[in-house]
């Protein structure tokens, strides 16, 4: 019985971390819709967020290679790279949609990039690496 309660508590805690990480990402970048279009300024914000994510992950990789963090960091980084590799092609599409003022597709791609950044930040946080902008 204690194991079941512990498992449920742990699951909720980790799921909650992911939820709050995504919530923070949405608060930082917002979501895009037809009534909330993707402008060049919002494109710059999402690109700055992507640069921040990649910079944080590079620091994580460097610490892993130096051996200053846990042994399983290589597997953790590989699991996160599945998501980070999807971001650059989406950003390329997003730039094209913003340039041609295709707001429907720009909104869809913008929201996908926000989701990916949230997943990456959440996965990194689950492994003890916090990626956030300095305020």
């Amino acid at each position: 019985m204690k194991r079941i309660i512990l498992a449920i508590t742990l699951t909720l805690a980790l799921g909650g971390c992911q939820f709050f990480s995504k919530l923070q990402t949405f608060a930082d970048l917002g979501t895009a819709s037809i009534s909330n279009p993707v402008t060049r300024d919002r494109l710059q914000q999402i690109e700055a967020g992507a640069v921040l994510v990649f910079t944080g992950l590079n620091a994580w990789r460097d610490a892993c290679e130096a051996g200053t963090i846990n042994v399983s960091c290589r597997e953790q980084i590989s699991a996160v790279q599945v998501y980070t590799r999807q971001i650059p092609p989406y950003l390329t599409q997003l730039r094209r949609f913003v340039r041609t003022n295709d707001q429907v597709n720009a909104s869809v791609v913008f929201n996908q990039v926000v989701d990916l950044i949230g997943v990456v930040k959440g996965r990194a946080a689950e492994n003890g690496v916090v990626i956030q902008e300095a305020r």
Side-chain angles (χ1 to χ4, degrees), residues 53-93:
V53 165
F54 286 117
T55 302
L57 293 177
N58 285 339
W60 185 15
R61 184 201 60 217
D62 293 343
C64 182
E65 289 175 352
T68 57
I69 56 178
N70 60 9
V71 179
S72 64
C73 60
R74 289 185 189 271
E75 292 84 21
Q76 295 166 351
I77 292 171
S78 295
V80 172
Q81 282 179 336
V82 169
Y83 301 101
T84 59
R85 289 186 178 137
Q86 297 175 31
I87 294 174
Y90 279 137
L91 286 176
T92 302
Q93 287 180 346

Side-chain angles (χ1 to χ4, degrees), residues 12-116:
L12 290 175
L14 291 177
C17 290
Q18 183 72 16
F19 171 75
F20 287 119
S21 173
K22 276 188 112 171
L23 189 62
Q24 179 64 37
T25 301
F26 285 132
D28 291 344
L29 300 172
T31 57
S33 65
I34 301 305
S35 61
N36 189 14
V38 181
T39 61
R40 292 187 188 274
D41 291 336
R42 294 193 72 203
L43 176 62
Q44 289 176 348
Q45 287 176 336
I46 196 78
E47 287 178 338
V51 167
L52 176 71
V53 165
F54 286 117
T55 302
L57 293 177
N58 285 339
W60 185 15
R61 184 201 60 217
D62 293 343
C64 182
E65 289 175 352
T68 57
I69 56 178
N70 60 9
V71 179
S72 64
C73 60
R74 289 185 189 271
E75 292 84 21
Q76 295 166 351
I77 292 171
S78 295
V80 172
Q81 282 179 336
V82 169
Y83 301 101
T84 59
R85 289 186 178 137
Q86 297 175 31
I87 294 174
Y90 279 137
L91 286 176
T92 302
Q93 287 180 346
L94 184 59
R95 287 184 203 107
R96 185 175 61 243
F97 292 143
V98 169
R99 190 173 43 249
T100 61
N101 199 23
D102 183 353
Q103 286 300 314
V104 173
N105 289 322
S107 298
V108 170
V109 173
F110 184 90
N111 291 334
Q112 288 174 333
V113 172
V114 169
D115 284 344
L116 285 172

